[in-house]
Amino acid sequence: MSEQTFIIVGASLAGAKAAQELRERGFDGRVVLIGTEPERPYERPPLTKDYLRGESDRDKAYVHAADFYEQHEIELMTETTVTAIDTDGSQVTLDGGRELGYDKLLLTMGSEPRRSSASGAELDGIYYMRTLADCDVLRGRLADGGRVAVVGAGWIGSEFAASARQLGLEVTVIDPLAVPNEQIFGAEIGTFYRDVHVQHGVEMLLGQGLEAFEGDGAVARVRTTAGKVVECDFAVVGIGITPRTGLAVDAGITVENGIVANERLETSTPGIFVAGDAANAWHPFYERHIRVEHWANALNQGPGAARAMLGEDVSYDRIPYFFSDQYDVGMEYSGYATSWDEVVFRGDREGGEFIAFWLADGRVVGGMNVNVWDVNEDVQALIRSRQVVDAEALRDPDTPLGSLVADPAA
Ligand SMILES: Cc1cc2nc3c(=O)[nH]c(=O)nc-3n(C[C@H](O)[C@H](O)[C@H](O)COP(=O)(O)OP(=O)(O)OC[C@H]3O[C@@H](n4cnc5c(N)ncnc54)[C@H](O)[C@@H]3O)c2cc1C
């Protein structure tokens, strides 16, 4: 029986999956999973989708059944915040002052919504979306109907807008970019998503930022930088997230765009690991540090960090992946494309069933399948192969994607 204590700070997807992995790998020391929220660990994607719309139960959002933690002797401490890490003494301080010693520590503090600094941002009726508690409040607002102004056309804003529209609200989306997510995917995909929202009756005010929230006590309208005034009953802000790094900074752990880690997900302080939204980890395939703010990264990196804590040989090199659902448009994206030369489409772009490939120097660096399924492995294999591919063959739906990846053994 191990005498060791492994502490995990942040009881969400990455943390819960790490705790599970420790037990599955036979670690029989103490596992303490500490989280600020009152809930046991849950997944956030349903909070802008089915759970927000009242189409799925709360229970479906949880990572594990209620008795999982007790059954696996994982000490889950909810409504508890770690306020400090003493790296010399190998202990953490909890709110209330209690101290807990650790042998290894995993940081999975995730991220928090960036706050608007616009004039009037302190008015009532302005919401952010991160937690189940946020979602429950917004479910109430949606049930009242009316008009909502959504600030930010990123994934959170866009998914919230789609759900609100599906529930019959009048929805206006405001974003300074010409089309949604233009900086990440370029104009073609951005235009596709803009049109999806317009077709569903959303007013898209693009190419204009937010100037101010206005109202007497509570927001009643928003004013854009182009001078447009949008009347609303409430507003939702989705303007990106910031990794939670304060604890690490105070403890002297290296932080730069997240908590910096090597490919074993170990931070600059030996014995302290990081996973999920908070991690800016060295990626062996991309040969640089990357921070990924998506579900699949938390799901897989948590267990990866757990294995590293157990001393296993870990080199976390998964190709980043995420998904989004808006109305009847489902998509998956793989890759990490920071620059590209062209975007090549396969399938029916107008009809909304296609795969887009981002090409740099003739190589696939990103792929998005929209309402086309079971192609993800092929897309990732193309990215991983780093092969130059024939754009015509990529466009041709009769050429199986798998056939474009040369057999490395051949
Ligand atoms: C509404 C919403 C919808 C999303 N939809 C998608 C989607 O469709 N597809 C997709 O790929 N991704 C989606 N994501 C992103 C995905 O949910 C995140 O990448 C994922 O939640 C990251 O998990 P995490 O465990 O790293 O951190 P988080 O989920 O942020 O959890 C961190 C936890 O740590 C706790 N904590 C922080 N500091 C402390 C402390 N000092 N002490 C104790 N506890 C602490 C926090 O309270 C929090 O519970 C969505 C996110 C949101 C918010």
Side-chain angles (χ1 to χ4, degrees), residues 230-314:
V230 180
E231 304 288 329
C232 62
D233 298 302
F234 65 105
V236 171
V237 181
I239 52 173
I241 56 161
T242 320
R244 284 201 190 90
T245 56
L247 267 184
V249 171
D250 293 347
I253 298 167
T254 305
V255 166
E256 199 185 316
N257 178 31
I259 301 169
V260 175
N262 59 21
E263 66 185 61
R264 309 186 60 236
L265 307 172
E266 192 162 19
T267 68
S268 60
T269 302
I272 301 186
F273 297 78
V274 63
D277 278 17
N280 185 14
W282 180 260
H283 197 290
F285 180 75
Y286 293 107
E287 296 183 329
R288 55 169 291 193
H289 287 91
I290 66 171
R291 192 170 62 75
V292 181
E293 305 167 347
H294 297 301
W295 171 87
N297 183 61
L299 181 79
N300 296 309
Q301 220 174 38
R307 291 192 293 277
M309 291 167 91
L310 294 170
E312 289 183 33
D313 207 5
V314 169

Side-chain angles (χ1 to χ4, degrees), residues 179-215:
V179 291
N181 289 313
E182 186 185 19
Q183 82 287 19
I184 310 174
F185 302 108
E188 292 105 325
I189 290 295
T191 303
F192 169 78
Y193 273 103
R194 177 200 64 194
D195 293 350
V196 166
H197 284 282
V198 170
Q199 281 153 18
H200 284 85
V202 172
E203 182 184 27
M204 299 294 281
L205 298 182
L206 300 170
Q208 47 198 302
L210 173 76
E211 181 72 30
F213 297 100
E214 295 174 356

Side-chain angles (χ1 to χ4, degrees), residues 150-397:
V150 178
V151 178
W155 296 114
I156 300 283
S158 291
E159 289 192 352
F160 180 85
S163 287
R165 194 67 205 119
Q166 283 171 276
L167 292 172
L169 277 81
E170 285 175 46
V171 182
T172 300
V173 174
I174 299 154
D175 195 289
L177 298 175
V179 291
N181 289 313
E182 186 185 19
Q183 82 287 19
I184 310 174
F185 302 108
E188 292 105 325
I189 290 295
T191 303
F192 169 78
Y193 273 103
R194 177 200 64 194
D195 293 350
V196 166
H197 284 282
V198 170
Q199 281 153 18
H200 284 85
V202 172
E203 182 184 27
M204 299 294 281
L205 298 182
L206 300 170
Q208 47 198 302
L210 173 76
E211 181 72 30
F213 297 100
E214 295 174 356
D216 184 12
V219 66
R221 74 199 79 85
V222 299
R223 188 181 297 277
T224 75
T225 49
K228 175 104 180 158
V229 174
V230 180
E231 304 288 329
C232 62
D233 298 302
F234 65 105
V236 171
V237 181
I239 52 173
I241 56 161
T242 320
R244 284 201 190 90
T245 56
L247 267 184
V249 171
D250 293 347
I253 298 167
T254 305
V255 166
E256 199 185 316
N257 178 31
I259 301 169
V260 175
N262 59 21
E263 66 185 61
R264 309 186 60 236
L265 307 172
E266 192 162 19
T267 68
S268 60
T269 302
I272 301 186
F273 297 78
V274 63
D277 278 17
N280 185 14
W282 180 260
H283 197 290
F285 180 75
Y286 293 107
E287 296 183 329
R288 55 169 291 193
H289 287 91
I290 66 171
R291 192 170 62 75
V292 181
E293 305 167 347
H294 297 301
W295 171 87
N297 183 61
L299 181 79
N300 296 309
Q301 220 174 38
R307 291 192 293 277
M309 291 167 91
L310 294 170
E312 289 183 33
D313 207 5
V314 169
S315 174
Y316 188 85
D317 71 345
R318 278 184 179 254
I319 301 286
Y321 161 93
F322 73 94
F323 63 94
S324 175
D325 296 316
Q326 295 169 44
Y327 314 100
D328 51 357
V329 180
M331 77 86 176
E332 297 174 293
Y333 174 87
S334 292
Y336 190 77
T338 47
S339 62
W340 57 87
D341 309 316
E342 64 173 323
V343 186
V344 166
F345 288 86
R346 161 185 291 227
D348 181 4
R349 221 164 123 182
E350 256 79 80
E353 285 183 22
F354 61 85
I355 312 175
F357 300 95
W358 283 257
L359 294 184
D361 297 325
R363 297 172 173 85
V364 177
V365 290
M368 180 185 285
N369 44 301
V370 175
N371 282 351
V372 173
W373 305 108
D374 300 326
V375 292
N376 212 256
E377 274 181 30
D378 288 336
V379 172
Q380 296 209 2
L382 274 169
I383 294 172
R384 205 172 272 286
S385 76
R386 291 200 172 102
Q387 279 169 220
V388 172
V389 288
D390 176 11
E392 276 319 303
L394 270 183
R395 274 190 197 99
D396 174 18

Side-chain angles (χ1 to χ4, degrees), residues 64-84:
H64 296 113
D67 58 0
F68 174 87
Y69 302 96
E70 209 183 319
Q71 271 182 10
H72 292 82
E73 293 182 41
I74 294 164
E75 296 170 48
L76 173 62
M77 299 169 71
T78 54
E79 288 183 277
T80 308
T81 296
V82 171
T83 54

Side-chain angles (χ1 to χ4, degrees), residues 54-187:
E55 294 166 9
S56 70
D57 293 342
R58 199 181 184 81
D59 247 18
K60 217 186 124 204
Y62 292 110
V63 180
H64 296 113
D67 58 0
F68 174 87
Y69 302 96
E70 209 183 319
Q71 271 182 10
H72 292 82
E73 293 182 41
I74 294 164
E75 296 170 48
L76 173 62
M77 299 169 71
T78 54
E79 288 183 277
T80 308
T81 296
V82 171
T83 54
I85 305 167
D86 169 5
T87 55
D88 292 335
S90 294
Q91 60 181 23
V92 298
T93 307
L94 310 182
D95 49 357
R98 202 176 139 199
E99 286 167 345
L100 260 184
Y102 62 80
D103 294 283
K104 301 257 170 77
L105 185 66
L106 174 59
L107 305 177
T108 54
M109 284 97 66
S111 52
E112 59 198 11
R114 209 171 282 147
R115 301 268 147 181
S116 172
S117 56
S119 147
E122 72 294 343
L123 288 169
D124 287 343
I126 300 170
Y127 301 96
Y128 295 82
M129 173 62 96
R130 186 76 201 172
T131 65
L132 257 177
D134 296 336
C135 186
D136 288 337
V137 172
L138 279 164
R139 278 172 60 137
R141 294 294 324 222
L142 288 169
D144 293 340
R147 290 162 301 181
V148 58
V150 178
V151 178
W155 296 114
I156 300 283
S158 291
E159 289 192 352
F160 180 85
S163 287
R165 194 67 205 119
Q166 283 171 276
L167 292 172
L169 277 81
E170 285 175 46
V171 182
T172 300
V173 174
I174 299 154
D175 195 289
L177 298 175
V179 291
N181 289 313
E182 186 185 19
Q183 82 287 19
I184 310 174
F185 302 108

